[in-house]
Amino acid sequence: MRGGTDTDMSFINVSNLSFRYRPDNPLVLQDINLSVEKGSYTVILGHNGSGKSTLARLLCGLLSPTEGDIIVDGLNTKDEDTLFDLRKKCGMLFQNPDNQLVAGIVEEDVAFAPENLGVPREEIRRRVDDCLKTMGMEEYARHATAKLSGGQKQRVAIAGVLAMEPDCIIFDEATSMLDPSGREELISAMRRLNRERGLTILAITHYMNETIDADRVLVVNRGSIVMDGTPREIFSEVESLQKISLSVPQVTELLYLLNRDGFRFPGGVLHVSEAAGLIEDEFKKRGGRKPPLSPPAPPAGEAEPAMELVDVSFVYGEKTEFRKTALDHINLRFPKGEVIGIIGHTGSGKSTLASLLNGLRKPTGGKVLLNGADIWSDPKHMRPIRQKVGLVFQYPEYQLFEETVEKDIAFGPSGMGLPQEEIAMRVREAAGFCGLSEQDLARSPFELSGGQKRRAAIAGIIAMQPEVVVLDEPAAGLDPQGRNAILGGLLEYRKQNHATMLLISHSMEEIAKYADRILVLKNGSVFLYGTVGEVFSRAEELAEASLDLPQITKLFLELKNRGLTDETDVYTVPYGKAKVEGMFHV
């Protein structure tokens, strides 16, 4: 691993950097020394609250160091006279696109920065068209930004930064709201900008697979850089990463676990093809055997539906020039007590579906049924419906507003007219499911970390004890430990209350780990709907829908192509480990 501040080729040079937000606050970053080479591609990893986003804001001059200096292409970020020039050189993409969009129409938003930089009109037109095409948003050029999905907004925000043609772009969790295809398109665009145009790229992410092709990986923990090396070097340290709430790619974890059982695979393996080749070599050396194909599991009987959609359609701006059909004649049944994973490309209708299920929006056509009854049969009595169908938004922390966490969680149950003792019991039970302590309950929700805010907002929904919980990307932007904690608590609630859970996610690994069945939406229609095995066995069709397979599943497809196994219904690492060991009689 490496470190230091070699300035010969550096675009960014950081010397003795420390930072605190207020004089009486503890240091968020301390004694950081760092040099980033011009034209390099660097990924920054760290758990929530580690200081990585603060570091990113300091690097592009949005914050000024408390101590030390940051020099970006010869400009000191402390020098207010050169901040305008600095921000032309270094653009930044935030995690939440709503914090970055400024115009009402897509193409006007992308043109905003070049216009302020004094770029000629003809050149602005070229940049806007090129950048929207790069991000796959050219057909939305005249659409209202407010009508876009979260993922579409993120693409527009990225196009807006690209239109500035900066020398450096910092991506702060910029892929967190994108579907797998969109993430791959953005990562490909980042690589292309880096290699063809020589842009310096810094990317903050919690998706370990996004680090594979980087030149360098920095790991931030408690305000300090604790690891610095190539992706292979960093991911060889599995246990060290796990101790600071980070994970590794699935094939890396698989070979690490196999090594603990006596195998001798090299550490830091990142790619499916490399992992498959190593397993094949070991198979030949040890005289492995292709295990018999496991018999298919008997079809499970489907429980009665908790909710149904009967010929449901929804149209945005029905009587305007921006008319767009978001859902088109949907017929679905969601069985009681199951976890339904909902996946689809950006703009496929996932969030619209979520808002229909608890009555935030009324279908343009068709019916939404809860326990067999139309939720819109009497619009005056919608409140009980929303208590039975809890909806957790993409950024649930935006739902917080009370003086204390305890009062915030109690708000929903209080509106149900429950006795005070019942409300108090529900608050503490919901806090327990979401991992919040007694001390957390007494704090202001605005004093909490990002992950704790999310837990508090989710606890407020759980406290109403809904029969159905609809989760719209509840763990987006959280580190691996934070995602597992939140989803684990929700699953425990579901188990104890026999609740039905609908989980919208762009993470195929997350869906494989938690879902009983999967709904795939494409262009507002049902594309696939079935068990996890049934859906993930349709790899080519998923690709058509801009989706992907878990990395461990891709590995077993590759092993099948090499004649080592016929098992391809492998979606989690522990199950994959057992299947590989079966090939070696372990």
Side-chain angles (χ1 to χ4, degrees), residues 340-343 503-518 532 536:
I340 314 296
I342 303 178
I343 59 179
L503 173 61
I504 297 173
S505 177
H506 284 314
S507 168
M508 300 303 103
E509 288 78 12
E510 197 168 85
I511 291 292
K513 183 175 181 179
Y514 296 113
D516 296 307
R517 66 183 70 220
I518 299 174
V532 174
F536 279 146

Side-chain angles (χ1 to χ4, degrees), residues 352-552:
T352 301
L353 174 63
S355 66
L356 290 173
L357 291 173
N358 91 329
L360 281 183
R361 290 191 172 99
K362 185 177 181 179
T364 308
K367 295 180 180 179
V368 178
L369 308 182
L370 174 65
N371 297 323
D374 183 358
I375 67 172
W376 285 98
S377 60
D378 186 354
K380 295 178 183 177
H381 293 87
M382 188 56 72
R383 177 181 285 186
I385 300 296
R386 292 175 182 150
Q387 291 167 354
K388 292 178 181 179
V389 184
L391 174 58
V392 179
F393 296 104
Q394 284 177 337
Y395 294 98
E397 55 267 36
Y398 291 174
Q399 296 169 240
L400 301 173
F401 62 92
E402 278 284 9
E403 294 177 354
T404 67
V405 173
E406 183 173 17
K407 288 182 178 179
D408 217 303
I409 298 173
F411 181 80
S414 298
M416 298 168 69
L418 299 172
Q420 205 58 43
E421 299 79 11
E422 172 75 7
I423 293 172
M425 184 272 293
R426 288 194 180 199
V427 167
R428 273 149 184 79
E429 188 178 69
F433 281 123
C434 295
L436 295 168
S437 66
E438 286 286 336
Q439 290 80 6
D440 292 330
L441 290 176
R443 298 171 66 188
S444 163
F446 306 106
E447 295 175 356
L448 302 179
S449 70
Q452 288 172 318
K453 285 180 181 178
R454 197 160 295 192
R455 292 171 192 237
I458 292 172
I461 300 296
I462 294 301
M464 292 188 288
Q465 297 185 355
E467 299 173 19
V468 179
V469 183
V470 185
L471 305 160
D472 191 358
E473 290 278 0
L478 295 183
D479 59 51
Q481 188 177 75
R483 289 199 299 267
N484 290 337
I486 282 179
L487 291 171
L490 286 165
L491 285 171
E492 187 60 29
Y493 169 80
R494 166 243 180 181
K495 180 180 177 182
Q496 291 189 23
N497 293 272
H498 196 60
T500 305
M501 188 175 296
L502 287 83
L503 173 61
I504 297 173
S505 177
H506 284 314
S507 168
M508 300 303 103
E509 288 78 12
E510 197 168 85
I511 291 292
K513 183 175 181 179
Y514 296 113
D516 296 307
R517 66 183 70 220
I518 299 174
L519 165 65
V520 183
L521 292 176
K522 181 182 178 184
N523 298 328
S525 298
V526 176
F527 187 64
L528 294 171
Y529 187 41
T531 65
V532 174
E534 288 169 346
V535 171
F536 279 146
S537 67
R538 314 276 282 275
E540 291 183 2
E541 290 164 271
L542 287 173
E544 287 177 28
S546 301
L547 298 172
D548 204 355
L549 296 172
Q551 192 189 41
I552 193 75

Side-chain angles (χ1 to χ4, degrees), residues 27-178:
L27 287 172
V28 178
L29 296 170
Q30 48 195 333
D31 197 29
I32 288 182
N33 292 280
L34 170 66
S35 178
V36 178
E37 291 182 1
K38 187 175 182 65
S40 63
Y41 184 174
T42 302
V43 170
I44 303 175
L45 301 177
H47 60 78
N48 291 110
S50 62
K52 57 189 187 303
S53 291
T54 299
L55 176 60
R57 284 162 171 75
L58 284 159
L59 294 179
C60 65
L62 293 178
L63 298 173
S64 183
T66 303
E67 299 172 18
D69 290 286
I70 301 172
I71 308 299
V72 179
D73 201 22
L75 303 177
N76 194 316
T77 61
K78 288 181 176 178
D79 187 349
E80 294 186 4
D81 292 337
T82 60
L83 273 180
F84 183 76
D85 292 327
L86 171 68
R87 290 171 184 165
K88 284 195 292 184
K89 291 176 178 288
C90 198
M92 184 166 177
L93 261 299
F94 298 101
Q95 184 183 61
N96 185 350
D98 286 325
N99 296 336
Q100 200 153 340
L101 300 180
V102 294
I105 302 299
V106 167
E107 64 179 5
E108 293 175 4
D109 194 276
V110 178
F112 180 80
E115 284 176 344
N116 281 275
L117 294 174
V119 175
R121 183 177 296 276
E122 297 77 13
E123 175 65 9
I124 292 175
R125 181 74 264 169
R126 181 195 67 78
R127 290 190 190 186
V128 169
D129 292 343
D130 285 353
C131 294
L132 285 175
K133 185 176 182 180
T134 296
M135 298 313 304
M137 292 294 292
E138 63 266 42
E139 66 178 280
Y140 292 89
R142 294 294 303 158
H143 280 241
T145 52
K147 299 293 185 182
L148 301 178
S149 71
Q152 289 170 327
K153 289 178 180 178
Q154 187 65 292
R155 291 177 188 236
V156 174
I158 293 166
V161 172
L162 291 177
M164 295 169 59
E165 296 190 349
D167 297 316
C168 171
I169 303 180
I170 300 174
F171 296 86
D172 187 6
E173 291 280 353
T175 64
S176 62
M177 299 306 299
L178 298 180

